[in-house]
Amino acid sequence: MKHILLEIKGAVGTLTIDRQDALNALNFEVLKELSETLDSLDFNRVNCLIIRGAGTRAFVSGADIAEMKNFSVEEGHNFSVLGNNVFTKLDSLPIPTIAAVCGYALGGGCELSMACDIRLASESAVFSQPEMGLGIIPGFGGTQRLAVLVGVGRAKELLYTGRRISASEALNIGLVNAVYPTEIIFEEAEKMAQRIAKNSPTAMRAVKKAVNKTYFSDLHTNVEANLFASCFETEEQRAAMEAFIERTIAKKEKEKK
Ligand code: HXC
């Protein structure tokens, strides 16, 4: 695997997304590797899974804008379906999952954290669904999971404005379960995971199924994928994504001088 690392300590697995030069942004390759890693988990051995980003700057900065920029409607649809399938696979794992969010969890990064059962955040964590500013919408289940977690009104406000929220606001609205100083976030996630992993695998599988059946079994991700795709090949989407790429190029050139 080029971008995914899986480490197992006792009955706890830690899956790290490592694409630090793009702040762990999700492209096709990362999503495929993530999917394969989830398929490879041995549930006789692993009884709780932590998901984190490599480094401390970002959990995941979103889907890869450079890759999406020139997508056709069809490519947008395929990308959303791929990501939605991977996130549904994560959501449906028969073991508890914890997102250890340090730094940016934007767009697809926030959506990835929401496909986990529990979200722990560092004080430096920043959450947002900024897709509106890119002329698109969330496409990895965010339009639905966010509403389940924080309520429809708050979710719509966050989706319409794309505004960034701090870890403490995320805690206040119920998007995250707890906030820790950055230096100990991964340690705390490990502690919680080790504690959870001691429980009966059968009972945990049952409780997760019982909760998910009510709240997460009827996600209309195909509706979202179609709507996500419909935003591509538009002037707004092309211009907004181009502007992001130009900004990062200009920033790099300025830094070189
Ligand atoms: C591609 C990204 C990226 C992304 C960061 N990078 N986020 N590349 N896709 N989502 C890259 C930058 O281009 C840059 O590469 C490097 O990572 C460091 O980023 P900087 O911008 O230089 O860092 P900083 O100034 O600290 O700003 C960090 C940031 C910013 C606030 C996270 O990068 C940012 O706003 N990124 C985009 C966040 C976003 O809009 N995410 C949502 C995407 S849409 P170089 O090569 O220049 O060093 C989405 C849809 C999901 O997620 C659904 C899909 C179906």
Side-chain angles (χ1 to χ4, degrees):
M1 294 276 166
K2 200 165 144 201
H3 298 298
I4 306 281
L5 176 71
L6 179 67
E7 291 167 292
I8 298 174
K9 259 195 238 160
V12 172
T14 299
L15 186 159
T16 305
I17 297 174
D18 189 352
R19 195 181 164 225
Q20 288 186 71
D21 55 348
L23 300 181
N24 304 325
L26 303 171
N27 58 13
F28 267 111
E29 195 179 23
V30 175
L31 286 172
K32 281 203 173 125
E33 288 190 7
L34 178 57
S35 181
E36 282 166 30
T37 308
L38 296 177
D39 287 337
S40 76
L41 289 170
D42 174 1
F43 302 116
N44 292 315
R45 197 172 161 211
V46 179
N47 207 18
C48 187
L49 181 70
I50 298 169
I51 304 233
R52 57 168 287 186
T56 51
R57 279 182 76 196
F59 172 68
V60 163
S61 66
D64 191 310
I65 299 169
E67 194 175 76
M68 288 189 295
K69 184 171 66 89
N70 294 320
F71 271 179
S72 62
V73 167
E74 192 187 349
E75 286 167 326
H77 185 263
N78 293 344
F79 188 56
S80 178
V81 168
L82 169 71
N84 262 317
N85 287 343
V86 179
F87 285 19
T88 299
K89 189 183 287 184
L90 172 61
D91 215 356
S92 315
L93 290 183
I95 56 169
T97 53
I98 300 173
V101 178
C102 190
Y104 293 110
L106 308 180
C110 186
E111 293 177 286
L112 175 63
S113 79
M114 293 192 290
C116 293
D117 298 321
I118 296 167
R119 279 150 297 287
L120 304 181
S122 68
E123 284 167 352
S124 63
V126 177
F127 294 83
S128 160
Q129 294 294 158
E131 285 86 352
M132 207 44 71
L134 291 166
I136 58 169
I137 66 167
F140 294 152
T143 56
Q144 287 132 74
R145 288 196 181 90
L146 186 62
V148 172
L149 291 170
V150 308
V152 178
R154 279 204 178 101
K156 282 184 174 169
E157 186 245 322
L158 293 173
L159 294 167
Y160 292 152
T161 63
R163 81 179 166 85
R164 292 184 188 169
I165 62 170
S166 65
S168 65
E169 183 173 355
L171 181 65
N172 283 343
I173 65 172
L175 181 57
V176 304
N177 300 63
V179 178
Y180 297 101
T182 302
E183 312 79 64
I184 60 167
I185 172 67
F186 298 125
E187 213 177 291
E188 289 297 327
E190 178 77 27
K191 268 194 222 161
M192 182 184 277
Q194 292 291 354
R195 197 162 63 237
I196 289 175
K198 290 198 179 90
N199 295 330
S200 150
T202 312
M204 287 203 299
R205 182 180 297 222
V207 80
K208 179 161 173 170
K209 245 192 185 162
V211 176
N212 278 7
K213 184 104 184 102
T214 306
Y215 292 99
F216 296 106
S217 72
D218 198 20
L219 298 187
H220 299 288
T221 50
N222 205 31
V223 173
E224 186 188 72
N226 288 334
L227 293 168
F228 175 82
S230 73
C231 299
F232 283 84
E233 298 180 44
T234 62
E235 227 170 85
E236 300 94 311
Q237 172 267 321
R238 290 282 198 263
M241 291 196 180
E242 191 56 54
F244 172 78
I245 308 291
E246 276 170 14
R247 262 198 314 274
T248 54
I249 293 173
K251 197 178 141 209
K252 254 190 173 170
E253 277 170 6
K254 206 172 160 199
E255 280 164 5
K256 263 195 230 155
K257 282 182 194 161

